[in-house]
Amino acid sequence: MGSMKRSTSCRILAAVGGLEAKLERNSTTTFVMSLVIPVLCLLCVPFLVYRRPTLEWLQTIRVTAGIAHHLNCKLRLHEVIHERNTVNPCFNSPKQTTVAELNPPVHLLTTVGSVESPEDKSLGGLLPPGFDESSCLSRYQAALYRKASPHKPSPFLVEKLRRYEALHRKCGPNTELYNRSIQQLESDHSTGPMECNYVVWIPHYGLGNRVMSIVSGFLYALLNDKVLLIHVDQDMEDLFCEPFPDTSWVLPKDFPIENLGEFEGDATLSYGKLIRDKIINNDMRFATKVTLPAYVYLHLPWYSKEWDRLFYCEDAQQMLRKIPWLLLRTDEYFVPSLFLVDEYAEDLQQLFPERTTVFHHLVRYLFHPTNTVWGYVMRYYQGYLAKADERIGIQIRIFPLVPIPFETMLNQIINCTLSQHILPAIDPQEPAAAPSNAAKVKAVLVTNLNSGYHDRLRDMYYEHSTTTGEVITVHQPSHEKQQYTDQRSHNVKAWSEITLLSFSDVLVTTAWSTFGYVAQGLGGLKPWILPRHPRPGVACVQAVSTEACFHAPPDYDCKARKGGADLSAVAPFVRHCEDVEVGLKLFD
């Protein structure tokens, strides 16, 4: 404590000395110093006594963070205002600061209301206390680089998350209750739920699909008082910080069920197969004494069969609550289907009074880049994006099964950004002229597996002046040519780029892309979507919310007991997605 006080007060005194030296070179030294030095002395008092002033305190004495920056005081408003390539004069010896240790730059803290308050590091209570901040720098820093979210988590959601965290600590890996549940699992049968019950998430497809399916699995666990554990292969190691304090969500390596990545719909204990073969039935939910499987595998990727999809019905939910271990494999954001289960309706209404904030709140709660990934993000941001007045994200995904010619997609991107005034037009007759010093700078971040779109956009604004006088810079962190989901290095880059896209002021995404969904959820952004088949004169449409789309919902109406149903007609708050005609999405 004492060393922190001395360090903070030393910063102020060093700043005072620096200012004094400058003033001594000025002919008005005596007059100015007679006014400035007493004010600075007053500033030092709270640092010496309380370690740091609040932003509100600084405002009451009409001293802004911008002045503090000019004086080089490096005031700490819950986050150090870090200057790159400087040596703190209060340190006994120079320290080389790594990029992963960078704190938010000054411009992110000088305008009150431009971002979520730096005083509110918990995002309105969403993030739990008790973490060592240095173990995951992005947890409390990432929001400072994003647009302020107008959506606050409900008190009921905050309370529910704290209760879940306590449950996870009690039942997490290597606890006594976890070990007891493992013994039950190895017995090959169960007679009902235990004190600790689990959902084990199994990865499927790319990083965007994985993030969305983990969010879905977590909400399912939250509603059913189960504990979520995720199976992490080598390709996912050191991507995400632990989201729950004093425990882990990673499935231990010695988990007794092997080859989880090979599970498919024909697995012996697949729910769909068990129901189809009448080994179990949903009427078992009423039984008080019954012998059940030790676990049930839920096969819910986009290509799951009708028997598997009975999972989405209410009677299935009640029966599955009796199973201590559920193994979940999906690539889908199946949250909208949970809103169609009457049993969950009251809880979901209290958890999410704004239905369209489910993904936004939960993805920000669960997913934080590790310090390794955060270093990638900060190096790129500070090098290419930080000084821009506005940041534009353009996420482009071309699906092999539905190819779009390069020129067609390029024209659609240009038409979208010009028609929506996201980017300015160019004057093709005029070469690029030197911009004025006051010109607005827009930085465009392009993400795609290939570099062609970036190159054409860069050349377009490099070779010609804009009609507005704005300066447009175009950047692309990587171009891997192919998707290598099973390679960790590829996933590190993907996660870094998703995070960078979430820092955008305006986001343009590709229809059907889960990569774009995650970025919009993290950033709280309503993206402009590039549809696969745009209508004449409509290059893009804006999403009505930050919610993701459930691409492959079931077509079985559980209440009417009939197939071929359009579930968008079942409830007014579930409709088809803007980018996927058959998909389902939550609406308010």
Side-chain angles (χ1 to χ4, degrees), residues 227-361:
V227 172
L228 175 70
L229 300 177
I230 65 171
H231 176 51
V232 176
D233 284 328
Q234 290 182 350
D235 57 24
M236 283 183 61
E237 289 181 349
D238 198 28
L239 291 183
F240 311 124
C241 297
E242 292 280 0
F244 316 124
D246 303 319
T247 185
S248 176
W249 69 341
V250 177
L251 186 72
K253 300 292 185 184
D254 60 356
F255 188 66
I257 301 175
E258 299 178 344
N259 303 317
L260 292 176
E262 299 177 8
F263 277 39
E264 288 292 344
D266 58 355
T268 302
L269 295 181
S270 163
Y271 171 73
K273 185 175 181 180
L274 291 171
I275 289 290
R276 184 195 66 195
D277 296 344
K278 299 182 179 179
I279 297 173
I280 64 172
N281 64 74
N282 290 333
D283 289 338
M284 287 181 173
R285 68 190 187 276
F286 301 119
T288 55
K289 292 184 179 180
V290 62
T291 299
L292 298 167
Y295 72 89
V296 167
Y297 165 61
L298 304 174
H299 183 69
L300 299 173
W302 65 269
Y303 54 86
S304 58
K305 305 298 184 183
E306 58 181 322
W307 290 103
D308 300 307
R309 296 183 178 208
L310 291 176
F311 161 84
Y312 298 114
C313 293
E314 186 158 3
D315 54 357
Q317 296 295 307
Q318 294 169 348
M319 196 281 292
L320 289 170
R321 202 167 293 129
K322 288 179 170 287
I323 308 295
W325 289 91
L326 298 177
L327 310 186
L328 171 66
R329 190 182 194 196
T330 181
D331 55 354
E332 292 290 323
Y333 179 69
F334 61 77
V335 166
S337 69
L338 300 178
F339 277 76
L340 296 177
V341 177
D342 288 342
E343 188 172 337
Y344 298 147
E346 184 177 351
D347 273 357
L348 287 170
Q349 176 59 35
Q350 293 183 72
L351 288 168
F352 306 102
E354 295 178 276
R355 295 184 186 89
T356 54
T357 63
V358 177
F359 189 57
H360 176 53
H361 287 320

Side-chain angles (χ1 to χ4, degrees), residues 388-460:
D389 299 295
E390 187 175 1
R391 281 161 284 278
I392 313 298
I394 301 180
Q395 180 268 328
I396 308 164
R397 180 75 163 99
I398 304 300
F399 296 89
L401 296 179
V402 191
I404 299 176
F406 174 83
E407 292 293 338
T408 301
M409 176 58 84
L410 178 64
N411 289 334
Q412 188 176 351
I413 294 167
I414 293 173
N415 290 338
C416 170
T417 54
L418 294 185
S419 63
Q420 302 304 327
H421 307 291
I422 299 168
L423 291 175
I426 60 168
D427 187 341
Q429 306 303 320
E430 291 291 332
S436 70
N437 292 333
K440 182 178 180 179
V441 177
K442 288 186 176 181
V444 179
L445 178 73
V446 177
T447 63
N448 185 243
L449 292 173
N450 296 291
S451 62
Y453 299 102
H454 160 270
D455 294 346
R456 290 286 290 275
L457 289 171
R458 178 201 59 196
D459 293 348
M460 171 177 158

Side-chain angles (χ1 to χ4, degrees), residues 23-272:
L23 290 173
E24 285 174 354
R25 295 192 293 269
N26 192 293
S27 60
T28 60
T29 297
T30 303
F31 174 73
V32 176
M33 286 184 62
S34 67
L35 296 175
V36 172
I37 297 304
V39 174
L40 290 174
C41 289
L42 287 173
L43 276 173
C44 289
V45 172
F47 280 87
L48 294 170
V49 178
Y50 304 108
R51 293 197 313 184
R52 65 186 71 165
T54 65
L55 184 60
E56 290 78 6
W57 183 85
L58 286 172
Q59 289 173 321
T60 61
I61 61 170
R62 301 176 67 84
V63 176
T64 66
I67 294 175
H69 171 58
H70 178 71
L71 296 177
N72 195 28
C73 287
K74 299 181 182 179
L75 302 182
R76 192 164 180 73
L77 307 176
H78 277 271
E79 298 291 348
V80 177
I81 298 176
H82 188 86
E83 295 286 338
R84 293 194 301 169
N85 303 320
T86 62
V87 177
N88 190 326
C90 300
F91 280 66
N92 292 328
S93 59
K95 176 185 176 183
Q96 184 65 40
T97 304
T98 62
V99 176
E101 293 170 333
L102 284 176
N103 283 303
V106 172
H107 75 275
L108 293 174
L109 296 177
T110 54
T111 305
V112 179
S114 63
V115 294
E116 289 173 309
S117 169
E119 298 288 340
D120 180 22
K121 297 190 298 183
S122 69
L123 306 182
L126 193 66
L127 303 183
F131 280 108
D132 174 9
E133 294 186 24
S134 65
S135 67
C136 181
L137 295 168
S138 68
R139 192 188 316 275
Y140 300 111
Q141 292 181 10
L144 297 173
Y145 296 87
R146 294 174 179 141
K147 294 182 69 173
S149 174
H151 308 292
K152 302 300 180 185
S154 70
F156 190 78
L157 174 59
V158 171
E159 180 187 352
K160 187 81 168 177
L161 292 176
R162 298 299 88 84
R163 289 205 305 268
Y164 174 84
E165 290 153 13
L167 176 67
H168 201 112
R169 281 192 295 273
K170 183 176 78 170
C171 301
N174 303 317
T175 61
E176 180 181 349
L177 289 173
Y178 171 83
N179 294 334
R180 193 183 304 167
S181 296
I182 289 294
Q183 291 175 359
Q184 172 272 317
L185 180 62
E186 292 175 328
S187 72
D188 293 333
H189 71 278
S190 67
T191 57
M194 300 186 65
E195 186 172 352
C196 294
N197 303 282
Y198 300 86
V199 175
V200 175
W201 173 86
I202 303 170
H204 198 42
Y205 287 140
L207 189 64
N209 295 88
R210 296 180 184 192
V211 170
M212 295 201 316
S213 61
I214 289 175
V215 169
S216 303
F218 176 72
L219 181 57
Y220 178 70
L222 197 68
L223 292 169
N224 289 280
D225 295 321
K226 294 179 182 288
V227 172
L228 175 70
L229 300 177
I230 65 171
H231 176 51
V232 176
D233 284 328
Q234 290 182 350
D235 57 24
M236 283 183 61
E237 289 181 349
D238 198 28
L239 291 183
F240 311 124
C241 297
E242 292 280 0
F244 316 124
D246 303 319
T247 185
S248 176
W249 69 341
V250 177
L251 186 72
K253 300 292 185 184
D254 60 356
F255 188 66
I257 301 175
E258 299 178 344
N259 303 317
L260 292 176
E262 299 177 8
F263 277 39
E264 288 292 344
D266 58 355
T268 302
L269 295 181
S270 163
Y271 171 73

